[in-house]
Amino acid sequence: MTGAWRSVLPHLGHELPPDLSPPTATGPVTAQVPLELIRHSTSRREWWPVPEAVAEQYRRYRPTPLWRATRFEAEIGARVPIYVKYEGGNVSGSHKLNTALAQAHYYRAAGVRELVTGTGAGQWGTALAAACAAFGLSCVVFMVGGSLRDKPYRGSLMRLLGAEVHASPSPLTAIGTAAAGGRGGNSLALAIGEAVQYARQAPERAFCIGSGETYSILHQSVIGLEAIEQLAALGAGVDAVVGCVGAGSNFGGLALPFFAAHRAGELGAAPLLLAAESSATPKLTQGVYAYDHTDATGSGPMEAMYTIGAGYSISASHSAGLRFHGAAKLLSAMRHHGQIDAAAVGQRSAMLAAHAFARSELVVPAPESGHALAAAADVATGRDAGHRAAQGVLVCVSGHGLLDMTAYEQLRAGAVEDSTADAEALHAAVTGLTRVGTTMEVSR
């Protein structure tokens, strides 16, 4: 296991656009984020030692496995090797624990006693519940209501770990009360907004988020750093790296260490870095690069991101962890500068790929990871004419699907359908946003 996180910021060759105050702000926008996490997001320091208290927790499940998925290759007819980095073997069942432990450590050091968050599929909420248990903090989770109904045992697991769990929209916040009866039960932005409002109700609470922030992506760099070492130990090379994207911490954690290593002269040719998103929330493939809100309250800083609009009504899907309207500002800037690429994957294709992987490799992926597997399969077989690999493909299975049996049962029953974004609604949702610039062609 690596003893440090690696920042990609010194290797970008460009600055991230600054955050803006929302139009309704009457003064400076402040955040309850510990100073050390702010440093993680802004400093050009490259290597950050993992605190021993966090490293102690990491040693319970890291390093995570990497293997060549030969049976999956045969199942799909791959032309090149496919290597899998698996992050589902911890109590949260996903990569989210990597940053949850780090954040709980820093928030406790800053004097916070209760962390509040919003979660989509429940992986982040479970990870934060576990991290709070590890560091002696209270935890409150607002989970997307539709997802909690589909995955009730996610709620059970979070409660088992000591968290208080509420379906969003809830009656505990003004924004939740206002949204009750509408389509808010599918909105991760609303669940996050409820967490923001609830955290502000008491001084000992702090809102905590686990995907889109630059410091979260830094903490996830353990994934890619381990993968580079493990591939080297196997004498294997890859020229495509694939991960799924909700806001971006899984993909960023896997792919950006490869980008940094290439820029530092430690790797040969630059690999394709491919972000696999849901066709229901296609921010990187159909969105605009603009300043937008990160949650439904509209009270926090506006970030430069690829977005389909914070107000866009997102349809229900089994991949709630991908159901966020925007991509992380770090990944968005890299997309804008042609440093990463993206592909949109339909829900049925994702679930079929996940099912094939479960049958062949005997590991059940979360539906979110099915998007990465589908995109990786398209690259490895040559079905994706725009994204090719001649040497090998690395894909991250970012979480297990053992609590997603409703989705798999519906797949077996033929009841899983694709949900694509409505072009007219997309246009309306981004109308009026301040654009950052025009998208450049991807260069490798």
Side-chain angles (χ1 to χ4, degrees):
M1 185 199 80
T2 180
W5 299 304
R6 189 175 194 175
S7 173
V8 75
L9 295 179
H11 298 287
L12 288 181
H14 54 84
E15 298 294 330
L16 300 185
D19 295 349
L20 300 180
S21 296
T24 56
T26 57
V29 177
T30 59
Q32 300 169 293
V33 180
L35 182 58
E36 191 67 7
L37 293 180
I38 294 174
R39 292 192 185 103
H40 288 178
S41 294
T42 58
S43 172
R44 294 185 64 82
R45 177 177 178 177
E46 183 170 6
W47 294 96
W48 296 82
V50 177
E52 176 53 32
V54 178
E56 178 185 358
Q57 296 295 330
Y58 278 2
R59 286 191 286 269
R60 299 175 188 272
Y61 66 97
R62 306 209 69 88
T64 59
L66 180 145
W67 71 91
R68 181 175 173 182
T70 53
R71 295 188 64 184
F72 182 60
E73 293 170 15
E75 179 86 7
I76 65 173
R79 301 176 181 177
V80 296
I82 298 176
Y83 297 92
V84 173
K85 181 66 168 164
Y86 182 60
E87 290 290 310
N90 61 69
V91 67
S92 75
S94 82
H95 71 291
K96 298 286 190 178
L97 192 58
N98 299 325
T99 186
L101 289 166
Q103 291 190 49
H105 166 76
Y106 289 118
Y107 273 100
R108 185 182 68 168
V112 172
R113 293 294 172 260
E114 182 173 278
L115 291 178
V116 186
T117 198
T119 190
Q123 293 176 342
W124 166 244
T126 308
L128 190 63
C132 286
F135 287 101
L137 300 173
S138 298
C139 182
V140 178
V141 179
F142 290 86
M143 184 168 173
V144 171
S147 184
L148 184 57
R149 288 189 293 273
D150 288 342
K151 309 179 203 313
Y153 288 113
R154 272 289 171 192
S156 299
L157 180 53
M158 286 184 269
R159 295 183 188 101
L160 179 68
L161 293 167
E164 182 181 315
V165 183
H166 303 282
S168 176
S170 81
L172 299 180
T173 68
I175 192 173
T177 301
R183 297 189 64 186
N186 295 324
S187 172
L188 179 54
L190 176 60
I192 292 172
E194 286 210 77
V196 170
Q197 284 194 343
Y198 187 80
R200 289 175 178 165
Q201 294 174 11
E204 71 276 6
R205 298 173 185 162
F207 169 70
C208 180
I209 196 64
S211 186
E213 297 304 316
T214 305
Y215 53 77
S216 298
I217 296 173
L218 171 70
H219 304 153
Q220 297 294 354
S221 66
V222 293
I223 304 173
L225 292 170
E226 283 182 3
I228 290 171
E229 293 178 355
Q230 290 166 321
L231 287 169
L234 293 174
V238 297
D239 53 354
V241 178
V242 184
C244 60
V245 169
S249 67
N250 154 57
F251 169 74
L254 176 72
L256 299 196
F258 283 84
F259 181 87
H262 167 68
R263 286 295 183 98
E266 300 161 10
L267 292 179
L272 167 70
L273 306 179
L274 185 62
E277 62 183 4
S278 167
S279 62
T281 51
K283 50 262 186 175
L284 290 170
T285 54
Q286 296 184 47
V288 298
Y289 191 36
Y291 280 95
D292 201 0
H293 301 288
T294 57
D295 66 78
T297 68
S299 59
M302 298 186 70
E303 296 184 358
M305 65 177 79
Y306 273 92
T307 178
I308 55 175
Y312 179 76
S313 183
I314 299 170
S315 59
S317 77
H318 292 297
S319 299
L322 306 187
R323 208 157 56 211
F324 189 61
H325 65 277
K329 62 182 175 184
L330 172 56
L331 297 185
S332 293
M334 294 183 72
R335 171 70 164 154
H336 178 66
H337 287 273
Q339 295 169 330
I340 65 171
D341 206 348
V345 177
Q347 180 177 226
R348 180 168 173 79
S349 296
M351 292 300 301
L352 287 171
H355 188 202
F357 189 82
R359 288 196 314 267
S360 58
E361 296 294 323
L362 305 184
V363 171
V364 180
E368 291 83 359
S369 295
H371 291 71
L373 287 166
D378 286 346
V379 173
T381 58
R383 290 194 297 264
D384 185 344
H387 304 120
R388 296 188 178 277
Q391 190 175 8
V393 179
L394 172 65
V395 59
C396 186
V397 174
S398 58
H400 70 61
L402 299 180
L403 298 177
D404 295 283
M405 289 300 106
T406 298
Y408 282 102
E409 283 296 298
Q410 290 185 9
L411 177 71
R412 293 179 64 252
V416 172
E417 299 179 352
D418 285 339
S419 177
T420 56
D422 179 83
E424 185 174 338
L426 282 179
H427 177 74
V430 299
T431 297
L433 295 180
T434 301
R435 307 295 179 95
V436 179
T438 56
T439 305
M440 297 171 59
E441 293 295 323
V442 171
S443 60
R444 291 180 54 193

